[in-house]
Amino acid sequence: MTDFSLGRSGRESRSMRAARGGRSESPTRHVDKVLLITVALLTVSSMVMIRSSGKDATYITKQGIAAVIGIGVMSVLMSFDYRIIIDNAAIIYLGTVVMLALVLVPGVGAKNKGAQAWFEFGALQMQPAEFAKLGIIVSLAAYGAAQRNLLDGRRFVTKLIITAIPVGLIFLQPDLGSALVFLAIVMAMLWMSGARGVHMGVLVAAGIVTVTVAVRLGVLAEFQTARLLAFIDPSRDARGSAFNLAQSKIAIASGGISGKGLFKGTQTQYGFVPEQHSDFIFTAVGEQLGLIGAGFILVLYALLCFRIWRAAALARDAAGTLVCSGVLAMFMFHIFENVGMTMGIMPITGIPLPFLSYGGSSLIASYAAIGLVSSIEMYRFK
Amino acid sequence: MPNVSQRLGSVGLIVSLLFFALFGRLGQLQIVDKEQADAASVRNRVRIGFEPSVRGRILDRNGNVLVGNRKVNVVKVDTSKLPKNKARKRAVLFRLGQVLGIPYDMVTARVNRRGGQLEAVEVAREVRETTVVFLNEQAEEFPGVVTSVETQRVYPQGQLAAHIVGFTGDVGDEIKEPRCSTANQEGDKVGKAGVEREFECVLRGLPGKYEYTVNRANEVVGAPRELVPPVPGQDIRLTIDPEIQAVVESTLQGTLRLARSEVGEDNSVRINKKAQLRPLRAPAGAIVVLDATDGSIVAMASYPTYDPNDFVNGIESSEYAKKYGDKDLAPLTNRAITTRYSPASTFKVFTAIAGLRSETISSRTTFIDNGTWTLPDCTKNPSLKSRIKCTFRNAGSTPHGPVDMTLSMIVSSDVYYYDLSWKIFNRDEPQKFAIQEVAREFGMGDRTSVALPYEKSFPVPSPEAKQRLHEANKKVWPDPVFRTGDNINLSIGQGELALTPLNMASAYAAFANGGTLYVPKIAFDTPPPPDGVAIEAAIKAAAATSTTVAAPRPTETGPARSRSVDVAVAQGAEVGLAEPPETSAPEVALPEATVPQATTSTTLVPPAVLTPTIRRNIDLPDSIRQPILEGLKGVTTSNFGTASDAFAGFPFDEFFVAGKTGTAQTSKQDNALFIGFGPVQDPKYVVAVVLEQAGFGGQNAAPAARRVFNVLAGEESGPITLVRSRGAIDR
């Protein structure tokens, strides 16, 4: 694998590559078809599963519109060189922070399920935190690409500050799950840009302190604290979070190998598992399609992660590798946390399963992430 | 300088590990935990519901309904569906109270009675149809309020035979110890007294069982699935003749009322050791009319009585205390089978049998009755003198002169029996205890085994019985030895001898019919109750072998059953019969169990078939029976007869009544007794009358019996005429 400790800006490397007389074929030749097919399969599965979790056609329509928009955004991002985005990272960062700040203003942002996290435009809702993840990935990649040597203390702290501002705003919503996604993203990207063991240790410690302080000071909404405590000690709460967790596990386990059949899952159809079209959609898969169906979905996710990892490896510059790593960390955290919580190996936090959960913002942001990764693959030789 | 490929490699490793963990956990859940989770998911959503079966009716001998069913509107509140907001909840309940005409406090009290339960709580019953229609039309205004139609007990003949039919009440603690093959559910009504209690399982039938699915909010989703169809309860046809029962009840009440204007000696009011005359209290009594040919109970009354309607919807404790709380009157007690009464002189029949059978005397043996009788050798034992009476008297010390067995019955000489029992007691065993032996043979000391709850029996006085009394309470019974005096008391039906009126009637019936002691029957032959366990097992077996799936059935329609369930039951029957080893007992007569459907809510009446149960055949030769019978005939017809005044003018030519009076000494006023039977040529009916604190048997009890015999003889019942004292006093 190429050692690209060049630390130059995108334009420089491109001109250099051109001078080298390297390959300069059409970018469409380098489109990752496997990645796109994987994403398409997940999107189709999502439509089926949302419908089978007892939601009516309007949910499918909404999700379909979001998918179309997402594919549109992805296509746009695939149509030009990702380096343009890297170059404009400062604007993106500023936009991200402004959005996250605005959503906290009562009257501008809307409150739902205890969190001030939505912009509402008529029937449409937008969750800026979903897009903020991409914004931070791009920002950290742009800053990291300018780095020449191994990560030093000053850069480490700077990166932490870059991340801390949006994370802090998200914390104020409050949205613990999304905040933790940022922790995963920043850890992966710091690691890829040469963080030392000590840095990683500090990050882990910071994460633990953050969660503890959040619980202790009551920053989190009551239900978020309850979920965490229920995970630690399920006997605390029989009817609330622990009950939901138990029901979720019952749903998946009772699916067995072949599942109860679409639209036939009793746990799913009679509402024993909460939020089955969104955060807990994996239980609908597990109960109704069994080990075969749920295993297939996990295989698709593994494939998705592998292709992004491959893109990170194929990238010809630091920015590309860093963006891909960030996107990989983001998806991996979402997948592991979400699927893990439905199976009782992770605490319950309200983060969606990419491409599968009902929710437009998440879907569009996920497509955008795939668009970025694709752009990196397509334009790597430019 | 980071080595990108190395670092990416470690990222890839972590990603792989995380996916490995997810796959592992998924496999663990879906393969290892599958079975457990299946069970849990079934527990989550499947609930078992019960559909009460229609309770069988209770009919009289002629097939008329004594206890029936009636449909009533019930309003319930499902607390889980009431508004969570307190003010809104209060508003709904307040409005409901207004509509039902019940104070708000009472509505909330009833709603909170079983708070937190899943099932709806009853708030009002017997609600008018218009109110129900209103509540249903305005359903949005009354969230959580549900109306339903339920059946409840109705008594077309009012209080008639109240003690026999009994009443039903809330299942209460019995839910833990079910009496029938299938368990009761919260809110069930079960028999608490009388036939309602004794025949609970037959009357109840089998509740239907169905399963239904609920969602997380515990709302019913989809259609329920019938598991076991309800088997309606069977009707019980009593042996009670309604006309005779009515006469018996009015006679009992009327005689007691009339007796209250008479006076009698009161042992609880003594001046210079002499009992004073006081107006008779005559608070209570019982009359039994028994068919001597088969043991069936034709009528049975106990006074004071009660109104079963009071218990239909449960009775408030204050009202209960007011109406039924008096422990002495105890209106709920069926005195005919539970209260201990000394039989007094009515027992002389059995002492006489003992005398003749042990050949201690002959029926022609004459004894000079000069009014008193002194125990020989009594004074020779000074240590006992203080405690033991030496001289025994006739009532009022009246001398009867020379009496033989027949005359001793007619005039009711006590002295004759004192002497007889002393002679018997001086003989060697086994003759020594001839009286006890005869008493036990005629069923005394044991329950009659009548099919009614709470029947009591009391031991026949004997050395063993006295020893037990002494051991149980040495203060009250300081003397453990059964002495001559005890035997003397026994001979005239006093002392520790105690019988229930039914027991007396049953013993006299055995004497009347020549020695057959029957188990008294209150109902005609009744099929055994359905075996719920066997029926359910058979249905399960049928479901396993057939592909018939019970079709869903709408909840609202109540007892209407789906066709396929009937098919399943029919198949269950076949399977159950064809493969007996698979199901439990071969006597699982499923077809029969499902047949009685016809007997409910239609006019079909169970057949009046009675299979008598003979408890014992007593050796009672004419040589013994005849002289006694002559005496009993004289009681009602002879000039000296203690009941001849009461039976003056009775049509003896068509219907000869023989009997015996009795006047039992108590710590208060005397109990009046009369037991008679007729027609003597071919004895059919026995009438036993016991009136508490009502004076002399001949004066007050015999007239009551006479009025009953009037009807049994086919005459008009006529007025009750008590006999005025004319000097002759009978104990």
Side-chain angles (χ1 to χ4, degrees), chain B residues 337-360:
Chain B
I337 57 167
T338 54
T339 307
R340 50 181 301 157
Y341 294 111
S342 296
S345 298
T346 63
F347 185 76
K348 286 173 183 168
V349 168
F350 306 99
T351 308
I353 295 172
L356 296 179
R357 194 192 272 174
S358 65
E359 293 174 340
T360 308

Side-chain angles (χ1 to χ4, degrees), chain B residues 539-560:
Chain B
I539 286 172
K540 267 194 194 134
T545 52
S546 77
T547 51
T548 316
V549 177
R553 182 172 55 81
T555 17
E556 304 303 315
T557 52

Side-chain angles (χ1 to χ4, degrees), chain B residues 382-690:
Chain B
S383 67
L384 295 172
K385 200 186 170 187
S386 58
R387 265 186 258 139
I388 292 175
K389 201 156 79 161
C390 289
T391 301
F392 297 81
R393 299 167 186 282
N394 277 342
S397 303
T398 315
H400 293 298
V403 289
D404 63 0
M405 179 160 286
T406 302
L407 192 59
S408 77
M409 287 287 169
I410 296 172
V411 300
S412 201
S413 160
D414 287 347
V415 164
Y416 179 90
Y417 289 93
Y418 297 149
D419 190 62
L420 173 57
S421 65
W422 174 73
K423 282 176 179 151
I424 292 172
F425 200 64
N426 278 338
R427 299 193 59 183
D428 295 330
E429 288 190 54
Q431 281 82 7
K432 185 181 174 111
F433 296 111
I435 302 174
Q436 283 86 348
E437 191 196 300
V438 169
R440 289 197 197 99
E441 263 190 83
F442 279 85
M444 299 173 204
D446 281 325
R447 282 193 276 256
T448 64
S449 303
V450 67
L452 284 172
Y454 314 121
E455 193 196 7
K456 295 247 163 26
S457 69
F458 315 96
V460 174
S462 66
E464 300 77 36
K466 192 159 183 191
Q467 181 71 33
R468 275 199 297 276
L469 283 175
H470 171 74
E471 274 158 25
N473 192 336
K474 294 198 169 79
K475 262 193 185 154
V476 180
W477 307 103
D479 183 9
V481 184
F482 186 84
R483 300 183 189 279
T484 316
D486 294 315
N487 218 45
I488 287 169
N489 275 336
L490 172 63
S491 71
I492 57 155
Q494 290 280 168
E496 279 316 298
L497 181 65
L499 302 171
T500 64
L502 180 64
N503 211 325
M504 297 177 199
S506 161
Y508 262 69
F511 176 83
N513 67 27
T516 310
L517 183 70
Y518 289 105
V519 171
K521 290 280 172 75
I522 191 70
F524 290 109
D525 292 356
T526 307
D531 184 342
V533 178
I535 289 178
E536 204 169 324
I539 286 172
K540 267 194 194 134
T545 52
S546 77
T547 51
T548 316
V549 177
R553 182 172 55 81
T555 17
E556 304 303 315
T557 52
R561 313 198 204 158
S562 71
R563 290 182 129 261
S564 57
V565 170
D566 282 350
V567 171
V569 172
Q571 284 169 345
E574 280 167 26
V575 171
L577 292 172
E579 301 170 0
E582 277 300 309
T583 57
S584 53
E587 70 259 21
V588 176
L590 250 181
E592 278 174 43
T594 53
V595 166
Q597 197 185 4
T599 64
T600 61
S601 71
T602 68
T603 48
L604 268 177
V605 160
V609 177
L610 187 76
T611 313
T613 309
I614 295 171
R615 213 164 125 204
R616 193 174 294 125
N617 283 307
I618 303 161
D619 182 27
L620 192 65
D622 262 4
S623 57
I624 291 177
R625 185 172 174 267
Q626 207 53 42
I628 298 169
L629 181 60
E630 287 307 316
L632 296 180
K633 283 160 77 178
V635 169
T636 51
T637 52
S638 157
N639 277 341
F640 312 111
T642 49
S644 58
D645 286 352
F647 280 87
F650 190 81
F652 283 99
D653 292 342
E654 291 115 63
F655 195 100
F656 205 117
V657 173
K660 183 75 195 78
T661 57
T663 305
Q665 257 187 326
T666 73
S667 57
K668 297 169 188 162
Q669 291 168 314
D670 294 342
N671 291 346
L673 295 96
F674 181 86
I675 309 173
F677 54 88
V680 164
Q681 303 77 9
D682 188 12
K684 171 81 172 162
Y685 296 109
V686 175
V687 177
V689 178
V690 181

Side-chain angles (χ1 to χ4, degrees), chain B residues 131-172:
Chain B
T131 310
V132 170
V133 170
F134 177 80
L135 284 174
N136 288 333
E137 276 173 356
Q138 311 284 318
E140 321 87 75
E141 255 195 84
F142 298 99
V145 175
V146 284
T147 62
S148 61
V149 177
E150 289 182 10
T151 56
Q152 76 176 33
R153 283 313 216 189
V154 63
Y155 303 88
Q157 320 245 22
Q159 300 191 9
L160 189 74
H163 281 110
I164 299 168
V165 297
F167 53 87
T168 58
D170 212 65
V171 61

Side-chain angles (χ1 to χ4, degrees), chain A residues 159-180:
Chain A
K159 286 190 177 189
L160 282 192
I161 292 168
I162 290 173
T163 320
I165 293 167
V167 169
L169 290 170
I170 288 170
F171 236 105
L172 291 175
Q173 292 183 353
D175 182 351
L176 179 68
S178 293
L180 291 174

Side-chain angles (χ1 to χ4, degrees), chain B residues 106-313:
Chain B
M106 201 179 280
V107 173
T108 49
R110 287 177 187 173
V111 167
N112 294 332
R113 190 169 40 191
R114 266 190 300 176
Q117 289 253 344
L118 292 177
E119 274 170 62
V121 195
E122 184 177 316
V123 171
R125 198 165 258 267
E126 295 182 51
V127 178
R128 261 181 287 130
E129 193 62 37
T130 50
T131 310
V132 170
V133 170
F134 177 80
L135 284 174
N136 288 333
E137 276 173 356
Q138 311 284 318
E140 321 87 75
E141 255 195 84
F142 298 99
V145 175
V146 284
T147 62
S148 61
V149 177
E150 289 182 10
T151 56
Q152 76 176 33
R153 283 313 216 189
V154 63
Y155 303 88
Q157 320 245 22
Q159 300 191 9
L160 189 74
H163 281 110
I164 299 168
V165 297
F167 53 87
T168 58
D170 212 65
V171 61
D173 285 346
E174 274 176 51
I175 200 157
K176 290 175 208 127
E177 295 160 17
R179 275 186 275 151
C180 307
S181 56
T182 52
N184 282 105
Q185 303 305 314
E186 201 73 55
D188 278 2
K189 299 268 187 195
V190 298
K192 292 287 183 186
V195 167
E196 291 270 30
R197 181 183 173 89
E198 193 71 18
F199 292 88
E200 167 68 20
C201 304
V202 180
L203 287 167
R204 179 189 178 216
L206 280 183
K209 197 171 171 186
Y210 60 93
E211 67 174 26
Y212 58 100
T213 308
V214 294
N215 61 16
R216 176 167 169 142
N218 218 32
E219 294 160 341
V220 177
V221 288
R225 206 171 72 86
E226 192 162 52
L227 301 173
V228 181
V231 177
Q234 316 241 1
D235 292 348
I236 301 282
R237 186 166 176 177
L238 302 182
T239 55
I240 296 297
D241 183 312
E243 281 143 47
I244 297 169
Q245 177 74 22
V247 169
V248 162
E249 288 186 14
S250 68
T251 304
L252 178 60
Q253 186 179 358
T255 310
L256 288 167
R257 197 174 56 229
L258 282 177
R260 281 173 214 141
S261 54
E262 307 281 319
V263 291
E265 282 183 3
D266 192 340
N267 286 315
S268 63
V269 187
R270 284 169 173 272
I271 296 171
N272 295 331
K273 287 189 173 178
K274 199 170 165 16
Q276 300 296 298
L277 287 176
R278 285 286 181 274
L280 292 170
R281 290 188 199 91
I287 297 180
V288 175
V289 180
L290 204 55
D291 188 329
T293 62
D294 60 7
S296 63
I297 298 169
V298 179
M300 180 159 74
S302 177
Y303 186 89
T305 184
Y306 64 90
D307 186 353
N309 281 302
D310 287 345
F311 299 92
V312 167
N313 299 329

Side-chain angles (χ1 to χ4, degrees), chain A residues 248-291:
Chain A
S248 166
K249 282 197 278 185
I250 290 170
I252 293 172
S254 66
I257 289 172
S258 52
K260 295 177 184 171
L262 271 179
F263 299 98
K264 287 176 189 157
T266 56
Q267 293 283 105
T268 305
Q269 302 303 324
Y270 301 140
F272 285 99
V273 183
E275 297 294 327
Q276 267 189 303
H277 60 298
S278 56
D279 291 354
F280 279 84
I281 195 155
F282 191 72
T283 62
V285 181
E287 184 184 26
Q288 303 188 116
L289 302 178
L291 187 58

